[in-house]
Amino acid sequence: EAQVTQNPRYLITVTGKKLTVTCSQNMNHEYMSWYRQDPGLGLRQIYYSMNVEVTDKGDVPEGYKVSRKEKRNFPLILESPSPNQTSLYFCASRYSTRDSPLHFGNGTRLTVT
Amino acid sequence: DAKTTQPNSMESNEEEPVHLPCNHSTISGTDYIHWYRQLPSQGPEYVIHGLTSNVNNRMASLAIAEDRKSSTLILHRATLRDAAVYYCILRGLQSDYKLSFGAGTTVTVRA
């Protein structure tokens, strides 16, 4: 089944403890992206990747890192999480053409205390 | 970047059509119009997209104004499962990689 898989689904951590949220897709998509969703603010893009080893900042990249060493994986790294990074996170992927739909994962609910 | 404007919320009765408007007055000729929806506790899912002509698929229809400055997503017979947040976004040459979603339209379906 074609899908975008995020892990974990839920995560509670403390301020400053490094964490990684994984994202994997099995559709051979070139493009992958991370979003955070907060009440009333829609989905804001954190980082995106156009292909392996090619990443760039979205609208809200501060406090996050990403890497794209393999086409299928696009982990989101929080080196020193803070409470304002408490949010619902979504990973998405698609082919590189402009009419290609985005496929989203089921989300990761992160709480930083 | 071309922006979209949607109403915050809409209500409908079950088995009645729902027409969701989206204004995009600064759309460029190469921008695709995409619609997604997000069911409660799930990630967004693709609904439909178009460039100039009206489009139909098993989920919905997309009606695009002749001047392309607005579009309407049509759910022909709303069901309770259609209760969701609906997002209208534009994807163009300048905005196809750096892409965020607005607050969308929250659709409530009454039984």
Side-chain angles (χ1 to χ4, degrees), chain B residues 93-106:
Chain B
L93 291 173
Q94 303 299 323
S95 61
D96 200 37
Y97 295 113
K98 193 167 182 177
L99 183 65
S100 286
F101 292 56
T105 298
T106 299

Side-chain angles (χ1 to χ4, degrees), chain B residues 52-74:
Chain B
T52 56
S53 304
N54 295 344
V55 184
N56 300 298
N57 66 21
R58 63 174 179 82
M59 289 180 72
S61 296
L62 176 59
I64 301 173
E66 200 167 327
D67 63 4
R68 301 187 71 237
K69 294 186 177 184
S70 66
S71 61
T72 302
L73 180 72
I74 303 165

